[in-house]
Amino acid sequence: MNSLASNRSERINWQTIVLFSLGFWMSGSLLLDFVIVPGLFATGMMSDSGFASAGYTIFGLFNRIELLCGALVLTGILTLRNRQLLPSHSQRWAVPLSVLLLTIAIIYTYIFTPQLSSLGLQLNLFETSSGMSPAMAGMHGAYWVAELVKLVVGATLLRWCYRSSCSLV
């Protein structure tokens, strides 16, 4: 039974899966952060009363994709480390960094997105919105710090996996 499982897992090219997942995830994050959100801000949609529910839908869907990519990256890194296919200098840090990426995706999905959406939700239709609350500004700051960490860690893992895939060819 063990030989059957090992033969099946050898057919899966985990470096390709990790490279594709990280590339898709990081490019999607950059597109969302630097194209879609500024576009929504420029058109004035962020000041609209229905933006909180629209933002929850957009970010909620992307957060689920991030969870999937984070799980694929962690599984791939664990497999590559077990097979010793990662460069020796990255063996020690690859797993903790991929766990950090998955943790950030979990925090986005279950803490940031629901909290930011609830802070942006306008419950009194007769009250005009006065701008961003201090709590929302703090959450936005924490989001951007986590996003910067995610992009740096993702780029680091992408570079390590790309270098190891080039050295194996």
Side-chain angles (χ1 to χ4, degrees):
M1 182 73 168
N2 194 15
S3 64
L4 179 65
S6 97
N7 287 339
R8 193 176 285 165
S9 68
E10 287 177 8
R11 287 187 233 152
I12 297 173
N13 189 346
W14 282 103
Q15 285 183 321
T16 303
I17 291 172
V18 170
L19 286 170
F20 177 77
S21 297
L22 280 170
F24 177 74
W25 186 6
M26 296 303 119
S27 63
S29 291
L30 289 171
L31 181 72
L32 192 68
D33 291 340
F34 297 113
V35 176
I36 294 174
V37 172
L40 293 174
F41 184 74
T43 59
M45 187 176 172
M46 287 187 161
S47 61
D48 191 20
S49 63
F51 180 72
S53 60
Y56 183 77
T57 302
I58 292 168
F59 284 97
L61 288 172
F62 186 72
N63 291 137
R64 276 24 177 225
I65 293 170
E66 283 188 309
L67 285 174
L68 178 63
C69 289
L72 282 172
V73 168
L74 179 58
T75 304
I77 292 293
L78 286 170
T79 304
L80 292 174
R81 184 171 180 248
N82 186 30
R83 292 183 187 168
Q84 298 181 353
L85 295 175
L86 290 173
S88 60
H89 67 278
S90 63
Q91 288 275 346
R92 173 189 281 180
W93 292 103
V95 173
L97 290 179
S98 60
V99 168
L100 177 63
L101 280 178
L102 183 59
T103 303
I104 289 172
I106 290 170
I107 289 170
Y108 282 171
T109 304
Y110 298 110
I111 296 174
F112 281 150
T113 300
Q115 286 295 322
L116 284 170
S117 296
S118 69
L119 287 172
L121 195 61
Q122 186 177 359
L123 297 176
N124 189 352
L125 295 176
F126 302 111
E127 184 179 314
T128 60
S129 62
S130 61
M132 192 180 298
S133 68
M136 185 179 271
M139 291 282 295
H140 274 279
Y143 168 82
W144 283 107
V145 168
E147 190 69 11
L148 181 64
V149 169
K150 179 181 80 172
L151 291 172
V152 168
V153 168
T156 302
L157 285 174
L158 191 63
R159 187 182 74 222
W160 287 347
C161 288
Y162 181 74
R163 282 185 179 171
S164 74
S165 71
C166 288
S167 66
L168 292 176
V169 175

